[in-house]
Amino acid sequence: MPLSRPLRRALPLVLGILVIAAACGPGNTMAADDATMVNQLRGANGMGQLPRRYELDLKAQAQADAMANAGTIFHSASLPSGVSPGWQLIGENVAMAGSIPAAEAALEASPPHRENLLNPYFTEMGIGATQRGNAVFVAQVFVQR
């Protein structure tokens, strides 16, 4: 069955959205594994779990991809960009290691990163993770609403 002209025009956009959703959503097991580790750390320290938010996952995944493409870690140039209004506090952790557990362990061992992980004011998080060769690039975005 042939596609109508409007559907043919929309197809590249729809495919692009599906690719992003696959990279950022539940299919990204590295990001899901890291989110689980973040919430395990919080639970072990008597804190509530942080739910993942799709828009924060998108932001974190874009940061992880940018770092992987550059081959080095760096913080977002504009942390609030892409985060919907209404947030009161925002934070970001970035790491590069050989695996997700190694990246999370490095973040937990670093006092300023651990402070973000255990900040009682954060209410949501987003996680992005990208593997390039033997390196895994991780970005975590935390928000208080």
Side-chain angles (χ1 to χ4, degrees):
M1 178 172 166
L3 295 175
S4 68
R5 188 172 193 192
L7 284 176
R8 282 195 313 264
R9 281 190 194 154
L11 193 56
L13 175 63
V14 170
L15 291 175
I17 290 169
L18 290 174
V19 167
I20 290 170
C24 298
N28 186 334
T29 58
M30 290 188 305
D33 290 348
D34 191 48
T36 298
M37 286 184 258
V38 169
N39 280 324
Q40 286 174 343
L41 174 70
R42 290 178 64 85
N45 285 275
M47 304 182 72
Q49 294 193 351
L50 295 177
R52 287 175 68 187
R53 294 291 179 239
Y54 185 69
E55 73 170 346
L56 301 178
D57 279 350
L58 286 175
K59 180 164 186 57
Q61 188 61 52
Q63 181 65 22
D65 290 344
M67 294 185 307
N69 289 336
T72 188
I73 60 172
F74 53 90
H75 285 280
S76 298
S78 176
L79 190 51
S81 176
V83 178
S84 61
W87 58 271
Q88 299 170 3
L89 182 65
I90 190 166
E92 178 185 60
N93 287 346
V94 297
M96 179 181 76
S99 66
I100 290 292
E104 186 60 30
L107 292 170
E108 291 177 17
S110 165
H113 296 105
R114 187 176 181 87
E115 186 177 322
N116 275 342
L117 291 164
L118 296 176
N119 188 317
Y121 298 107
F122 288 136
T123 58
E124 304 170 351
M125 72 173 162
I127 305 289
T130 302
Q131 184 160 2
R132 286 287 190 277
N134 294 328
V136 175
F137 296 82
V138 174
Q140 303 169 330
V141 178
F142 303 97
V143 169
Q144 176 193 12
R145 292 198 194 266

